[in-house]
Amino acid sequence: MDIPRIFNVSESAHRIHNPFTPEKLAALGAALRLEPGTRVLDLGSGSGEMLCTWARDHGIRGTGIDMSQLFTEQARRRAAELGVADRVEFIHGDAAGHVAGEKVGVAACLGATWIGGGVAGTIELLARSLRTGGTILVGEPYWLKMPPTEEVARGCHAASTSDFLLLRDLLASFGNLRYDVVEMVLADPGSWDRYEVAKWLTMRRWLEANAGDDFAKEVRAELTVAPERYATFTREYLGWGVFALMAR
């Protein structure tokens, strides 16, 4: 079980696998007013930066599930590095359908709502692990402005313009599911740059070290088109944010 290899290559040097900086992740933790001992479940936990830093800074206890073996190993090393390995655990596995054995105070899925078939299904899945009065965190793209064509949408790695909503409509959709939006932290052009642009050096160095690898052709093709595609499409049309929700 693993994610597509291109992500394991291009994001292998990332600690955060979304367009968030460490400062934004810290701002989110502070905004949630986390109490020591709060249990946090993170589905699609990547390299574990959220759980590890929140365990260090706020004393939470957490469990992360991720399909990438590489990222899971990186998360465990990060927990040891920050001295929180006794408070967080990381499981290499499929987060789709995962329900915590013990109810949690925060149930999160940042940037992987495909595990529930979309935003609504993921919220429903997370709610199954949540204690009464707990908080759901959803990280999700949204359109900064509607793409004028389907080609532009595909340039943003969407299948079509209908894949995402404008921010106002995304916020309204949470209300339609009978959740209050109680906090949000949004990506900005700088945090998008750190997420996307950092991949380019990683891929270049991987190519230099793995010139004879059968996968090199695919990595080279991605590195060749990524800068122009990002500047033309993603940076202009796509937003991303984490939204904190509480059931009404």
Side-chain angles (χ1 to χ4, degrees), residues 15-16 18-29 49 53-54 56-57 78 191 194:
R15 282 184 175 169
I16 302 172
N18 291 302
F20 253 22
T21 58
E23 292 77 15
K24 286 186 178 291
L25 198 58
L28 176 63
E49 192 72 359
T53 55
W54 287 4
R56 178 195 63 192
D57 298 340
R78 183 64 166 154
S191 59
R194 289 304 85 228

Side-chain angles (χ1 to χ4, degrees), residues 41-112:
L41 174 67
D42 188 8
L43 300 185
S45 51
S47 295
E49 192 72 359
M50 182 179 80
L51 291 182
C52 289
T53 55
W54 287 4
R56 178 195 63 192
D57 298 340
H58 302 286
I60 63 98
R61 307 187 69 84
T63 299
I65 319 289
D66 200 90
M67 287 183 66
S68 170
Q69 184 171 347
L70 171 64
F71 297 166
T72 303
E73 292 169 356
Q74 290 177 338
R76 292 168 181 162
R77 290 197 297 270
R78 183 64 166 154
E81 177 187 344
L82 295 185
V84 297
D86 60 331
R87 280 177 268 165
V88 294
E89 66 170 337
F90 295 98
I91 299 168
H92 173 228
D94 188 356
H98 181 89
V99 177
E102 180 181 345
K103 297 290 187 181
V104 301
V106 178
C109 178
L110 308 190

Side-chain angles (χ1 to χ4, degrees), residues 26 30 32 46 94 106 120 127 132 152 168 170 191 246:
L32 295 174
D94 188 356
V106 178
T132 301
V152 171
R168 65 172 185 247
L170 179 59
S191 59
M246 296 181 72

